[in-house]
Amino acid sequence: MSDLKYSEISSILKEELSNFQFESKLTESGIIVQIGDGIVRAFGLNSAFYGELVEFHFGIKGMVLNLEEDHVSIVLFSSSKKLKEGDTVKRTGKIFSIKVGENMLGRVVDVLGNPIDGKGPIEGKLFEMPLERKAPGVIYREPVQEPLQTGIKFIDSMIPIGKGQRELIIGDRQTGKTTIAIDTIINQKRFFEKNHPVYCIYVAISQKGSTIARISKILQEKGAMPYTIIVSSTSSDPASMQIFAPFSGTAIGEYFRDTGRSSLIIYDDLSKQAVSYREMSLLLRRPPGREAYPGDVFYLHSRLLERSAKIIKDQKMAEKMNDIPLSIRKKIKGGGSLTALPIIETQSGDISSYIPTNVISITDGQIFLEKDLFHSGIRPAINESISVSRVGGAAQIQSMRKISGTLKLDQAQFRELESFSKFGAELDSSTMNILKKGRINIEILKQTPHTPYDIADQIAIIYAGTKNLLKNIPFNKISDFEKEYLFYLNEKYESVLNSIRNGIFDKKISDILETVALKLNDKYVS
């Protein structure tokens, strides 16, 4: 019996030893041979791979971005003051990733996901999300059909945005680009309160610290912070942090998208990211191309923006999606979306320069803001003839599609005739009517910052404009008429507005809107 027991023990030990794998704990390290301007060149990291995180003394981290024949070039994520030539650098074997979780909502974080708002550490469970990731393939995407309402009359009626779309906001500095983005975030509050939240990520790239604080304060005052995360990279941060800030924000947005929810990301702005990328590329001695930008600056933006998508509702298909991080594999759900609003700053309205043309070719449309319109008091200063949404009416509710169909055409006719009217020629009555209707529509589409409109209110006032119900009201009284008209409808006809919100717009509703508009007309006609 004892012999049998010994033989059993022997066979068990042999089996265990055969399955045992010896893991080497040795790590590859190298030596810094050159350091300066946030770039480190190191010998000895022969097996390092592109995009790998490396670690220096004092917990300073960097990323391998150039693989040369005899050395690697590393970009630092913090100051190089504590490092010197001859110091060691260790491989980590990891790629750049950020910890993401529900408790990030309402916080201001840096590019590495660390809170910088003075409210203490981020509690709760956090999940590792890689900054660089493959965009979802075609079979995992759905057509963009669900509207993402901005609360801006001009955009929701003429340049509609859908969930999963990438709509570029482009224009000169100080034309209201950031205001459109912030108003879109504020407008999501009504959906958050109805338990249909759109989680918003605002990525500040090379912004002043005071600007980021001001935006945070506005969102706080408007009650938008509970569903918003601000990713901050100030102009004093290293160029590497400004380059990776959009990727960091996208990783956070993908967490909400992949777990079956809607998210919106704003990149403010990608021109500054491209400038930082040019700076870093030149320091890495990569050859410059057009406007001294490196050849892969298009790929920088395309691989970022292609990650915005509406994911297929079929959960089993969604689970097969490429490059899903192990940390959230069990939480994957279909039907999520990530909508992108990249911002690009132009110089003197030149949309034909390198970076604007690149991003226009990647996105699904653009909202073009014009300095002349802004200074003439038309705000938002959107030029509807250049602005376009390549998704179109598919991203509008049925009632908005019905009433806004002729609006863009009316305004295009108005712009054309307006240029002729400046010559002082005598105009016939039909031309005068088109010009007057166009000016009334401009007054209707004007909007004060940070006051997004409910979709039913937008439809009600735009209908009054397209049907020419305000033709007898002086231009300077249209704003007052609009306030009273919408207040009256909300007080007396809440059920009508609810029907409009649900996409219904029949003759009964149009009759009520016309009756109310004509009833209030007399008060404002001079």
Side-chain angles (χ1 to χ4, degrees):
M1 283 292 286
S2 60
D3 287 344
L4 185 64
K5 281 181 182 175
Y6 289 135
S7 64
E8 280 177 359
I9 292 164
S10 173
S11 65
I12 290 164
L13 283 170
K14 278 178 183 174
E15 195 178 331
E16 289 295 317
L17 285 167
S18 68
N19 293 329
F20 181 76
Q21 289 180 336
F22 178 73
E23 286 186 22
S24 172
K25 298 290 179 188
L26 294 172
T27 56
E28 190 178 23
S29 62
I31 295 167
I32 298 173
V33 291
Q34 192 183 18
I35 187 164
D37 296 313
I39 304 292
V40 169
R41 288 183 173 80
F43 283 148
L45 300 179
N46 297 329
S47 303
F49 55 85
Y50 178 86
E52 182 180 357
L53 277 183
V54 291
E55 205 166 343
F56 301 88
H57 293 306
F58 313 107
I60 295 169
K61 289 193 169 81
M63 184 193 270
V64 176
L65 279 186
N66 261 25
L67 302 171
E68 308 287 344
E69 195 175 340
D70 56 349
H71 70 275
V72 296
S73 295
I74 300 158
V75 62
L76 295 173
F77 294 131
S78 54
S79 172
S80 61
K81 284 178 183 175
K82 293 180 181 178
L83 300 178
K84 61 183 187 298
E85 289 173 12
D87 283 355
T88 56
V89 50
K90 289 180 184 174
R91 284 185 62 199
T92 63
K94 295 176 185 174
I95 59 164
F96 197 0
S97 58
I98 182 174
K99 284 188 170 7
V100 180
E102 310 291 326
N103 291 352
M104 274 183 125
L105 293 165
R107 304 299 298 270
V108 183
V109 298
D110 66 10
V111 179
L112 302 170
N114 305 313
I116 53 170
D117 51 8
K119 295 179 183 175
I122 295 166
E123 305 292 341
K125 192 171 181 185
L126 298 172
F127 303 89
E128 285 278 329
M129 293 290 287
L131 264 69
E132 290 272 12
R133 199 175 149 201
K134 261 189 192 175
V138 176
I139 58 166
Y140 304 112
R141 293 173 183 253
E142 269 195 357
V144 175
Q145 289 172 329
E146 196 181 344
L148 184 125
Q149 288 157 14
T150 63
I152 299 164
K153 290 176 280 186
F154 206 121
I155 295 171
D156 290 344
S157 60
M158 288 199 270
I159 320 154
I161 297 168
K163 287 182 180 177
Q165 191 176 343
R166 296 141 319 157
E167 184 79 10
L168 172 64
I169 302 169
I170 185 167
D172 285 7
R173 64 185 299 275
Q174 299 294 312
T175 50
K177 301 185 297 298
T178 301
T179 303
I180 285 176
I182 297 303
D183 287 2
T184 305
I185 292 175
I186 294 167
N187 191 54
Q188 306 315 310
K189 185 185 176 185
R190 62 181 94 248
F191 303 104
F192 181 72
E193 288 168 348
K194 291 174 186 172
N195 282 329
H196 297 296
V198 175
Y199 297 101
C200 303
I201 301 106
Y202 175 81
V203 183
I205 307 160
S206 188
Q207 302 277 1
K208 288 184 289 190
S210 59
T211 305
I212 298 166
R214 182 177 57 81
I215 289 165
S216 176
K217 191 183 176 188
I218 291 166
L219 294 174
Q220 199 80 52
E221 286 170 355
K222 297 290 181 181
M225 276 310 277
Y227 55 87
T228 304
I229 299 162
I230 296 175
V231 179
S232 161
S233 70
T234 62
S235 43
S236 62
D237 285 338
S240 55
M241 297 297 251
Q242 294 169 36
I243 293 160
F244 290 108
F247 291 96
S248 193
T250 306
I252 298 167
E254 281 179 331
Y255 167 72
F256 292 108
R257 183 199 73 189
D258 292 347
T259 51
R261 293 171 285 180
S262 297
S263 56
L264 166 73
I265 186 159
I266 286 139
Y267 306 108
D268 192 7
D269 64 63
L270 292 186
S271 316
K272 291 190 178 82
Q273 187 206 18
V275 167
S276 297
Y277 191 66
R278 173 169 64 184
E279 179 192 326
M280 191 192 71
S281 296
L282 292 170
L283 288 167
L284 288 167
R285 296 175 189 165
R286 291 179 179 176
R290 180 177 161 189
E291 291 179 29
Y293 286 104
D296 64 339
V297 74
F298 180 91
Y299 181 55
L300 172 78
H301 289 150
S302 64
R303 75 177 190 261
L304 176 73
L305 292 165
E306 283 297 325
R307 289 160 71 178
S308 299
K310 176 89 172 75
I311 299 301
I312 199 160
K313 283 193 173 76
D314 186 335
Q315 186 164 339
K316 286 185 179 176
M317 276 291 285
E319 284 170 3
K320 294 175 186 174
M321 203 161 60
N322 34 325
D323 278 14
I324 293 169
L326 288 168
S327 59
I328 62 158
R329 199 167 281 278
K330 289 178 183 174
K331 293 169 72 75
I332 293 294
K333 285 181 188 169
S337 68
L338 176 60
T339 310
L341 294 180
I343 295 173
I344 288 284
E345 188 181 292
T346 54
Q347 306 294 324
S348 307
D350 181 18
I351 58 168
S352 63
S353 61
Y354 191 33
I355 301 302
T357 50
N358 275 355
V359 183
I360 284 169
S361 69
I362 297 162
T363 50
D364 308 311
Q366 68 274 350
I367 296 163
F368 181 69
L369 294 136
E370 214 169 63
K371 210 167 204 170
D372 292 345
L373 292 173
F374 186 84
H375 292 314
S376 64
I378 298 168
R379 295 172 193 178
I382 300 169
N383 181 328
E384 74 278 354
S385 57
I386 301 175
S387 303
V388 67
S389 170
R390 297 194 185 109
V391 171
Q396 282 177 316
I397 61 169
Q398 189 69 33
S399 44
M400 178 60 94
R401 204 180 311 162
K402 246 182 182 177
I403 64 107
S404 67
T406 60
L407 184 60
K408 198 163 188 179
L409 189 63
D410 288 347
Q411 292 311 98
Q413 276 184 314
F414 161 69
R415 292 274 178 217
E416 199 176 334
L417 291 170
E418 188 187 32
S419 57
F420 283 113
S421 69
K422 286 174 184 172
F423 294 116
E426 282 191 28
L427 304 168
D428 58 55
S429 58
S430 64
T431 305
M432 292 292 285
N433 288 337
I434 291 168
L435 288 169
K436 190 172 184 185
K437 187 181 180 183
R439 289 190 185 111
I440 287 167
N441 283 339
I442 283 173
E443 291 301 316
I444 285 170
L445 294 169
K446 281 182 185 177
Q447 202 164 324
T448 51
H450 316 317
T451 54
Y453 279 59
D454 177 73
I455 194 71
D457 290 352
Q458 290 184 46
I459 290 165
I461 190 64
I462 289 166
Y463 178 76
T466 54
K467 286 292 174 184
N468 219 5
L469 303 175
L470 318 182
K471 61 185 176 186
N472 299 321
I473 299 173
F475 299 138
N476 61 348
K477 290 185 180 177
I478 284 171
S479 177
D480 296 330
F481 169 85
E482 182 187 300
K483 283 174 192 168
E484 189 171 350
Y485 172 65
L486 295 177
F487 178 78
Y488 190 87
L489 286 172
N490 278 284
E491 286 292 306
K492 304 282 184 185
Y493 295 102
E494 183 60 37
S495 60
V496 170
L497 295 178
N498 282 331
S499 297
I500 292 171
R501 277 183 205 106
N502 293 326
I504 301 162
F505 198 90
D506 52 24
K507 193 175 185 305
K508 186 183 173 186
I509 290 170
S510 64
D511 287 347
I512 289 166
L513 295 180
E514 283 184 37
T515 305
V516 172
L518 295 170
K519 185 182 177 182
L520 294 173
N521 245 337
D522 299 337
K523 188 176 175 181
Y524 292 92
V525 174
S526 53

